[in-house]
Amino acid sequence: MAVNRTEGRRVHINGVVQGVGFRPFVYSLAQQHQLNGWVKNTSAGVEIEVSGSLAALEAFIQDLQEKTPPLAQIDNFKAETSSNNHYTEFSILHSEPIPGAFQPISPDISICSDCLVELFDPSDRHYRYPFVNCTNCGPRFTIIKDIPYDRPKTTMAPFEMCPDCAEEYHNPLDRRFHAQPVACPLCGPNIWLEVGGDSLAERDDAIQKTRTLLREGKVLAIKGLGGFHLACDALNPSAVAELRKRKLRIEKPFAVMMPTLEIVRQFCQVDEAQTELLTSRERPIVILDRLPGTNIAAEIAPGQQTLGVMLPYTPLHYLLFEQTEDFPPALVMTSGNISEEPITTDNQEARIRLSSLADAFLMHNRDIHTRCDDSVMRTMTIHQVSRPIPLRRSRGYTPYPVHLPWKVFPTLAVGGELKNAFCLTRENYAFLSHHIGDLENYETLQAFQDGITHIEQLFRIQPEALAYDLHPDYLATRYALERGLNENLPTISTQHHHAHIASCMAENKLPGDQPVIGISFDGTGYGLDGAIWGGEFLICDYTKFDRKFHLDYIPLPGGDKAVRQPARQALAWLDALGIDWNTDLPPVAFFNQQERTILRQQLQAKVNTPLTSSMGRLFDAVAALAGVRQEVTYEAQAAIEFEALVDPDCQEVYDFQIEQKSINPAPIIHAVVQDLKVQVPITIIAAKFHNTIARMVLESCRLLGKEIEVNQVVLSGGVWQNMILLEHTRNLLENADFEVYIHSRVPANDGGLALGQAVIAYHTINNS
């Protein structure tokens, strides 16, 4: 007679497996398969020991990998035979800290459908509670202080659970089992509305009074998951103009929140891929084409045909947007800060820093441990499949890591000056940080340093090397060099555009054993010769690069002033080509006679005229010549507005010259001036210019491919966030049988730079 033998298995799992309902999932599976044993969290992941019949164990192991909870993501799964310990039940054990061990952590996630039902169910104890959550949704990264991810190590520690919440928290079969932010109106955080430091209303009354103020055209500071938003009625031009005035944000677009997908479709074109992004658990801001004739205030995104739109992602948002006929269908939801400062997170800090911006404050008392701005995405169609293109990677995506194709030693890469995000690596993980911002003031530098300290602690990373940008004046570079000196760590300098290409290579898991053609287009990057690079055609791998072509150098009159005034760059081109400064040309007319005289003297004497090969500056110059924008109030404004004018039916191109080591755009400038003389529409000029740059890339790649027999092309740098240019270039290259790699998880702009710095540092040291 056959005996049903009992065997044992020991399982180790890491990835995003804590705070996502993984232990109750394991518990339920064990019950289903009649297995005994235990499961516990450790600093290294989840440990499981089970015993039972061979068939039950095999089914259990398979289900563990195939039926995971919605937010879980398994990176490594190891199951091995263990002795049968004759367990008599299945238990969930207390978490175990392991010195030096680490694991990935879930980002903050939008409210789930179950919690949303409870939010509006009068019979549920979470009815209209702004902090309802479970293991499938809610805050994670912004409230965690340390691992293992348990309540005492979060900002929820001060809130003692009531009996009902405690029962759910300790019940392995409940979806709130060990949901660390679990709370209800009796025991959890609460909200209030205040003006001038005085509380006007609490709880639901505060929401109703906030809605009234928004209807009246007021600006509200609203505390959210990762910081404060500044909100106002997006259909009220005077409210939006007032917010711009107070925030010192002259023309840069504001993000807009709308309550439902149906309402979004009333204002914007939305395709299937954009719908998927808008409704995803990450809930990013998605750039959409605006429908003509809608009553969204034009002041939201001046000079653009697009809107940055997001759906509600917290219970509080849904309560604010509870629809009545007199409530706005769209609210501006922009970062709670004065322009160029970090987003505000602390209540008292908000009272001080936002007092001149907001008419009232909707506060809550759950602390935010890590500030986290909203993420921003676009979509692009590739082979009839639309894929996401990240412009800013933050809430909803960080701190989930980029997986590397090699195990690396711990490295800190500090990123660049603009759109800063740093990167910490360990084993196969690259933890690219949340959006820090432009490192141009003390407050942002402090946020940068605090973020590094927190993520080093969270993932138990003690850097063994530091990587930084070549630019000697970047605050991030100074931080890396000073820390390297103080801690006796090796510091690896990385050229800006090489780092861009390495970032895209690493994201796409290219092994790096063969060189690629890297086309790195952006606005500013410090070159090996001390010039400002930005229109670079490289042959490179992870350790070295050869600059094969670049745009011809052109003076940048006034340095940074020419970045703020594209008209200066246009006049520099006219001067270099001997084209008369005729006041019929828009950038010439922008300056008065005295200013033109000074500019010409400056160019002739070469005073404060650094040389640049930047593609971003070429876009600026042509946009200025075409009359689009002579002065900008935010980065890449001229190029963005120029892109919006492109006639999609125009297939014409301008001439350009590929020389021995450089590409001469002079024929483009001559042709644009000629088109202006004969009054060619700006939409055609914009199209011809975009077509020309795409053709320039193709012809350069053909020459380089023949020279070194390479057919892999990597596109990176902020200019490649121009969707018209990116899509046209990719189509041309692929039709010519090149393999094209672009960004889809990491921003092409400087927000992804640190990833490239980190992998360059690893390969440089590893191969030395």
Side-chain angles (χ1 to χ4, degrees), residues 247-281:
K247 191 174 161 69
L248 305 179
R249 187 163 172 168
I250 302 170
E251 292 172 304
K252 189 175 182 180
F254 285 138
V256 176
M257 182 176 283
M258 300 182 188
T260 65
L261 193 59
E262 290 69 32
I263 290 179
V264 175
R265 290 193 173 111
Q266 294 175 19
F267 294 96
C268 300
Q269 297 177 18
V270 188
D271 63 23
E272 185 177 343
Q274 291 163 339
T275 296
E276 187 175 336
L277 264 180
L278 282 167
T279 58
S280 69
R281 65 195 188 195

Side-chain angles (χ1 to χ4, degrees), residues 412-418 420-422 439-440 445 448-449 452 466-486 489-496 499 525-526 750 753-754 757:
L412 167 62
V414 296
E417 190 83 338
L418 302 179
N420 180 272
F422 58 86
L439 292 184
E440 296 179 333
L445 178 62
F448 165 79
Q449 294 173 326
I452 289 173
L466 301 168
Y468 62 93
D469 190 276
L470 276 176
H471 198 299
D473 294 328
Y474 282 180
L475 294 179
T477 294
R478 293 179 184 178
Y479 169 89
L481 292 174
E482 288 174 11
R483 182 168 175 181
L485 185 64
N486 293 336
L489 295 174
T491 54
I492 308 298
S493 65
T494 60
Q495 200 283 319
H496 191 91
Y526 193 81
D750 285 5
L753 192 70
Q757 294 174 341

Side-chain angles (χ1 to χ4, degrees), residues 16 71 105-109 138-141 394-400:
V16 178
L71 301 186
I105 292 166
S106 170
D108 291 34
I109 297 299
R140 298 289 192 279
F141 178 55
S394 204
R395 178 194 50 77
Y397 297 92
T398 55
Y400 197 74

Side-chain angles (χ1 to χ4, degrees), residues 535-583:
E536 311 307 311
F537 298 75
L538 312 175
I539 298 294
C540 59
D541 55 25
Y542 288 116
T543 59
K544 59 187 180 302
F545 70 93
D546 186 3
R547 190 189 191 203
K548 287 294 188 178
F549 298 126
H550 59 83
L551 291 184
D552 268 357
Y553 284 131
I554 193 75
L556 197 61
D560 287 345
K561 195 167 185 179
V563 177
R564 296 188 295 272
Q565 287 184 332
R568 289 173 170 264
Q569 191 71 92
L571 264 60
W573 271 108
L574 297 178
D575 182 74
L577 301 182
I579 299 174
D580 183 47
W581 286 14
N582 189 320
T583 53

